[in-house]
């Protein structure tokens, strides 16, 4: 498994794309309310990306995906298709996944949102999933391995009695939306690809409240749900390996990465 090393110019473009993707998540947050449809959220994000940011929404028409963002509600693990058939309701949790293309380079990030008041067990799942992302990010530096990232994510999830989805993973990213390497959210410390300065990839752990098993909706060919119908949560950032550690390219204003 190979991984491309980005040039200084490529990294500069990816920082712009990453910041813009984060800006979309910050913009859409106030609209995530009971009664709104995921199709409306998609419409708002699309307009913002195209008209305000002059970006291309990467998911739109990607292998036939019909919308500009992914909206995964409750038991939907990933790749949920925005729809106007069912509005969000009080107590839902939703992952909004944003990928923009700016000057030919991708920025990819996702965030969990509460819809109104959410049960404590759902909030806990969301919090631990985010902690898993941050623990994975903390392992990124030259000389570390992808196995180091997967191990710490899997360990933290298990300590909190959650399971890690194995069928979907993080990925290399740059001028190509999905490229090598695959970034698994489980594994053995010290194993796998050794990280080098200039590598760029996503970490995006998906944690299930119940068992790790998932199923693909055969009708739409995209929506992935937990097999047991229990909740799932995911967070995602795009990262660059630096000489001394990691640069979080999609950091939001509500986040702080000490030393990054």
């Amino acid at each position: 498994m190979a991984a491309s090393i980005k040039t200084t110019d490529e990294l500069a473009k990816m920082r712009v794309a990453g910041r813009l993707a984060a800006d979309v998540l910050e913009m859409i947050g106030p609209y995530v309310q009971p009664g709104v449809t995921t199709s409306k959220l998609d419409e708002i994000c699309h307009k913002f990306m195209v008209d305000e940011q002059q970006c291309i929404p990467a998911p739109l028409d990607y292998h036939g995906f019909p919308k500009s963002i992914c909206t995964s509600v409750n038991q939907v693990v990933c790749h949920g298709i925005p729809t106007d058939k069912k509005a969000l309701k009080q107590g839902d949790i939703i992952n909004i996944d944003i990928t923009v293309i700016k000057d030919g380079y991708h920025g990819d990030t996702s965030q969990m949102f509460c819809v109104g008041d959410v049960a404590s067990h759902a909030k806990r799942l969301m919090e631990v999933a985010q902690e898993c992302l941050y623990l994975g990010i903390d392992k990124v530096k030259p000389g570390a391995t992808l196995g180091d990232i997967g191990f710490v994510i899997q360990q933290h999830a298990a300590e909190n009695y959650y399971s890690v989805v194995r069928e979907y993973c993080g990925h290399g990213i740059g001028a190509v939306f999905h490229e090598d390497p695959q970034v698994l959210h489980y594994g053995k410390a010290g194993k796998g690809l050794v990280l080098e300065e200039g590598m760029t990839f996503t970490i995006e752990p998906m944690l299930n409240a119940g068992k790790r098993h998932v199923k693909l909706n055969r009708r739409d060919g995209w929506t992935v749900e937990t097999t047991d119908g229990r909740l799932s949560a995911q967070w995602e950032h795009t990262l660059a390996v630096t000489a001394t550690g990691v640069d979080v390219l999609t950091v939001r204003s509500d986040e702080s990465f000490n030393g990054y």
Side-chain angles (χ1 to χ4, degrees):
M1 179 170 54
S4 65
I5 303 297
K6 306 303 188 295
T7 66
T8 300
D9 182 61
E10 288 177 309
L11 288 171
K13 290 180 178 179
M14 290 192 67
R15 286 189 181 92
V16 172
R19 189 189 72 245
L20 292 170
D23 286 347
V24 180
L25 286 177
E26 296 202 57
M27 178 278 301
I28 199 61
Y31 295 95
V32 181
Q33 299 290 340
V36 73
T37 65
T38 51
S39 182
K40 183 63 176 178
L41 297 177
D42 175 77
E43 177 188 327
I44 295 167
C45 288
H46 178 92
K47 182 175 178 60
F48 184 77
M49 287 185 275
V50 173
D51 294 346
E52 301 294 326
Q53 298 182 324
Q54 286 81 53
C55 288
I56 298 170
L60 185 60
D61 296 326
Y62 180 77
H63 295 304
F65 191 82
K67 297 289 185 176
S68 295
I69 67 174
C70 296
T71 51
S72 301
V73 182
N74 294 334
Q75 79 278 5
V76 178
V77 176
C78 60
H79 305 158
I81 301 174
T83 176
D84 59 6
K85 294 181 179 178
K86 189 177 181 182
L88 296 177
K89 65 182 185 302
Q90 186 86 220
D92 284 342
I93 61 172
I94 178 174
N95 175 274
I96 298 180
D97 195 339
I98 302 294
T99 310
V100 305
I101 306 172
K102 184 70 171 181
D103 294 331
Y105 284 81
H106 293 73
D108 188 4
T109 185
S110 80
Q111 179 180 354
M112 295 299 300
F113 295 90
C114 295
V115 183
D117 294 325
V118 169
S120 59
H121 68 89
K123 288 183 180 178
R124 181 61 182 156
L125 172 64
M126 293 168 56
E127 290 168 358
V128 174
Q130 187 175 34
E131 290 166 4
C132 282
L133 170 61
Y134 290 165
L135 287 168
I137 291 172
D138 196 48
K139 290 296 181 182
V140 178
K141 62 182 179 180
T145 68
L146 289 181
D148 296 337
I149 298 169
F151 175 78
V152 73
I153 290 172
Q154 181 183 24
Q155 182 181 51
H156 189 63
E159 286 173 351
N160 287 276
Y161 306 101
Y162 297 126
S163 57
V164 175
V165 172
R166 297 194 172 202
E167 290 81 358
Y168 300 88
C169 61
H171 53 88
I173 188 170
V176 177
F177 193 169
H178 297 92
E179 62 182 26
D180 285 339
Q182 290 191 332
V183 182
L184 305 181
H185 303 120
Y186 61 95
K188 294 183 178 180
K191 300 295 184 179
L193 181 73
V194 177
L195 303 184
E196 299 177 40
E197 182 182 359
M199 289 181 178
T200 54
F201 53 86
T202 71
I203 301 177
E204 46 187 296
M206 289 148 267
L207 267 61
N208 293 347
K211 296 181 179 180
R212 69 170 183 84
H213 306 291
V214 300
K215 58 183 179 182
L216 176 67
N217 185 318
R218 299 295 178 182
R219 292 190 301 277
D220 64 37
W222 284 101
T223 306
V224 178
E225 300 184 36
T226 58
T227 302
D228 58 15
R230 296 187 66 184
L231 296 178
S232 187
Q234 177 192 22
W235 300 76
E236 175 183 16
H237 273 313
T238 297
L239 318 162
V241 183
T242 68
T244 56
V246 60
D247 187 1
V248 183
L249 305 182
T250 49
V251 64
R252 299 182 305 278
S253 63
D254 65 331
E255 296 176 297
S256 175
F257 293 95
N258 293 329
Y260 294 172

